[in-house]
Amino acid sequence: EAGDYNILDLAIKTGLFGSNSEARRKILEGAFKIDGEKYTDIKGVFQLESGKKYVMQFGKRHFVKIFVK
């Protein structure tokens, strides 16, 4: 669903991370990207736009594609 999302909440909802604490650590380490842009602020906000596709990446080998309705 389109809207503004907290980076940490968005990362957790993708299912890329095994736990909330792992997501928090990895984001702070710079291991989380959305469309190739690195996010390191767990309190930051990302806006998902309707009708767009996003690729979320954790590390080098873990990817999730999302289509926003």
Side-chain angles (χ1 to χ4, degrees), residues 4-33:
D4 293 338
Y5 290 90
N6 177 287
I7 295 293
L8 180 61
D9 294 338
L10 190 59
I12 292 167
K13 286 181 183 180
T14 62
L16 286 171
F17 301 98
S19 67
N20 294 355
S21 59
E22 179 188 14
R24 186 182 320 269
R25 277 193 313 272
K26 295 300 181 182
I27 290 171
L28 291 173
E29 291 172 5
F32 183 68
K33 296 179 184 178

Side-chain angles (χ1 to χ4, degrees), residues 2-68:
D4 293 338
Y5 290 90
N6 177 287
I7 295 293
L8 180 61
D9 294 338
L10 190 59
I12 292 167
K13 286 181 183 180
T14 62
L16 286 171
F17 301 98
S19 67
N20 294 355
S21 59
E22 179 188 14
R24 186 182 320 269
R25 277 193 313 272
K26 295 300 181 182
I27 290 171
L28 291 173
E29 291 172 5
F32 183 68
K33 296 179 184 178
I34 301 174
D35 288 341
E37 187 175 339
K38 190 181 292 189
Y39 289 89
T40 57
D41 181 13
I42 59 173
K43 294 183 180 180
V45 176
F46 184 79
Q47 183 179 16
L48 294 177
E49 298 175 16
S50 182
K52 285 191 74 178
K53 295 179 183 178
Y54 298 93
V55 176
M56 297 190 185
Q57 179 181 357
F58 158 54
K60 291 184 178 181
R61 299 185 182 120
H62 304 281
F63 294 87
V64 172
K65 291 182 183 179
I66 328 175
F67 179 74
V68 182

